[in-house]
Amino acid sequence: MKAIRGATTVDFDGCEQIRERVKELLSDIKKANNLSDEDIICIMFSNTSDIHSFYPAKAAREAGFASAPLFSSSEPEIEGALKLCIRVMLLTDKEDKPVHVYLHGAKNLRKDITERLNIAIDGPAGSGKSTVSRLIAKKLDILCLDTGAMYRACALKCVNEGISCTDVKSVDGIINDINIEVKYENGVQHTYLDGMDVSQTIREPKISMLASAVSSIGSVRNKMVELQRKIAAATPCVLDGRDIGTNVLPNAKFKFYLSARPEIRAKRRQAENEEKGIFQPYDEILADIKKRDEQDKNREIAPLKRAEDAVYVDSSDMNIEEVTAFIINKIQERI
Ligand code: DC
């Protein structure tokens, strides 16, 4: 018999959220451990004493765990303990190595997991890595660093200064004056250039191509990589980019390389852009994506390539939720 552990938190003591989070926790445990209902011997919950609205065991029953015996208990109040937390222990007679699941801040219960938890997600433009990275970070309750935004801000700086992004000498000349900061507001990354929030402006298609060009310049990469390593060392986070697994954090425990066919990536980028009110013909987007692939893969310094120890994910025929669940599973299998 094996014991699988898990925990999640709720943001407030409310019936609906307890239901939703218990359901999510148990579904993730089932998925990560490849369990069917018959494999579950029993499920035991304990929740912190600040949860009164609903019994987690009742939530499990409502979530469709119809046959397993359930048990719920309330923990005594302990000073300094994580608040609004639901723990679970699920017994199974499956002999596989248990995959424990910690969601929504409950990872704080496992310092061994969170300290230095850096997840590298690399891949070409339009592979879905930004969206997937954000969803993974949200689920694990850690930060998400979009490193492409930093190169985009560098490109914008060149535009503002009237400098060509391929003019190495001129870019080298202003590199020390580029002041890029990344701040988080309600968990969302905002990129600042010289004190101005440029998060919207840097999404313009014109900036995409220029960012690709400027990112091949050594002085730019050195400066951005230093900043990225500083952020990654200070806080557990998901980093998405092109060279995270190969260059920025070669020792990251979790590395993924996400890709998809160029035509699919172009379609996704078109839909994403249209949501932001940016309209560009499909053929143009496809041509841009192919050109950027070419530039990013063939540059001399830290080109886009899969790290040998990165898990390759072809997302062409997967939706965002499937990719996210696949990556979360891979992470949980190893923690
Ligand atoms: O991910 P993105 O499309 O926002 O990135 C814009 C450009 O920045 C991309 O074409 C290449 C470059 N980049 C990079 O060289 N290294 C990274 N870690 C992230 C982005």
Side-chain angles (χ1 to χ4, degrees):
M1 188 160 65
K2 288 265 152 68
I4 303 169
R5 285 175 289 152
T8 189
T9 60
V10 282
D11 307 321
F12 49 87
D13 179 25
C15 200
E16 276 315 308
Q17 202 181 51
I18 295 170
R19 270 202 188 97
E20 179 205 303
R21 293 277 163 97
V22 166
K23 186 173 177 185
E24 179 189 31
L25 179 63
L26 292 179
S27 319
D28 280 14
I29 289 178
K30 256 178 93 173
K31 231 186 268 162
N33 290 278
N34 207 6
L35 296 178
S36 67
D37 288 344
E38 295 74 54
D39 297 322
I40 303 172
I41 297 171
C42 70
I43 306 172
M44 291 172 279
F45 291 96
S46 71
N47 56 261
T48 45
S49 58
D50 46 8
I51 293 182
H52 304 281
S53 299
F54 207 59
Y55 286 113
K58 191 155 193 296
R61 203 53 100 216
E62 290 184 6
F65 291 78
S67 52
L70 301 169
F71 174 78
S72 254
S73 67
S74 182
E75 295 167 14
E77 212 165 304
I78 296 167
E79 219 188 292
L82 184 65
K83 302 236 177 294
L84 294 165
C85 180
I86 300 166
R87 290 180 176 81
V88 69
M89 187 159 77
L90 191 150
L91 298 183
T92 171
D93 46 19
K94 273 191 96 175
E95 281 307 311
D96 307 353
K97 183 174 176 269
V99 177
H100 308 300
V101 174
Y102 290 83
L103 302 175
H104 299 290
K107 62 174 180 27
N108 292 334
L109 299 168
R110 297 272 317 265
K111 287 283 177 248
D112 55 325
I113 296 177
T114 52
E115 271 163 19
R116 311 196 58 80
L117 175 66
N118 289 145
I119 301 167
I121 303 192
D122 290 305
S127 56
K129 62 188 179 346
S130 308
T131 313
V132 166
S133 299
R134 273 198 301 274
L135 290 172
I136 291 168
K138 189 163 180 230
K139 195 140 190 179
L140 298 176
D141 201 21
I142 59 180
L143 284 188
C144 178
L145 179 62
D146 169 4
T147 61
M150 298 160 83
Y151 292 99
R152 286 169 181 269
C154 286
L156 182 61
K157 175 75 177 183
C158 294
V159 172
N160 293 347
E161 296 288 319
I163 285 175
S164 158
C165 284
T166 50
D167 178 350
V168 179
K169 255 203 182 137
S170 300
V171 175
D172 285 352
I174 60 155
I175 190 69
N176 291 325
D177 303 329
I178 302 183
N179 171 24
I180 291 172
E181 288 168 289
V182 169
K183 296 183 187 168
Y184 290 86
E185 290 160 28
N186 297 322
V188 177
Q189 175 175 330
H190 286 252
T191 309
Y192 285 78
L193 174 64
D194 298 331
M196 290 255 300
D197 186 346
V198 294
S199 311
Q200 295 292 330
T201 324
I202 57 173
R203 295 291 143 200
E204 291 290 331
K206 161 182 106 181
I207 298 293
S208 305
M209 289 307 297
L210 295 175
S212 176
V214 87
S215 71
S216 67
I217 298 178
S219 60
V220 172
R221 295 211 77 80
N222 289 343
K223 184 157 173 166
M224 295 306 112
V225 169
E226 189 188 320
L227 194 54
Q228 290 156 18
R229 286 188 181 142
K230 218 185 252 175
I231 296 171
T235 177
C237 57
V238 182
L239 291 92
D240 89 71
R242 302 290 189 286
D243 62 334
I244 310 300
T246 51
N247 179 47
V248 180
L249 301 173
N251 296 323
K253 185 169 173 187
F254 301 102
K255 296 183 187 178
F256 297 89
Y257 187 91
L258 199 55
S259 194
R261 293 189 290 278
E263 294 72 19
I264 303 258
R265 292 192 271 127
K267 255 190 211 146
R268 285 182 189 156
R269 184 47 54 93
Q270 189 179 32
E272 206 178 279
N273 282 354
E274 283 179 5
E275 251 174 49
K276 291 179 196 148
I278 301 170
F279 297 93
Q280 196 186 4
Y282 169 81
D283 290 343
E284 230 179 71
I285 299 180
L286 181 61
D288 277 3
I289 277 192
K290 285 184 174 168
K291 183 158 182 225
R292 270 219 284 161
D293 282 1
E294 188 72 16
Q295 278 182 187
D296 294 346
K297 285 180 180 168
N298 294 314
R299 67 177 176 229
E300 243 168 68
I301 315 165
L304 164 66
K305 78 167 188 238
R306 175 188 170 191
E308 272 174 22
D309 51 349
V311 176
Y312 183 83
V313 188
D314 181 344
S315 72
S316 301
D317 302 311
M318 293 164 95
N319 64 32
I320 289 293
E321 287 72 31
E322 287 167 333
V323 178
T324 308
F326 176 84
I327 293 181
I328 293 260
N329 261 5
K330 285 276 169 216
I331 294 168
Q332 283 169 339
E333 271 171 18
R334 292 189 45 214
I335 55 180

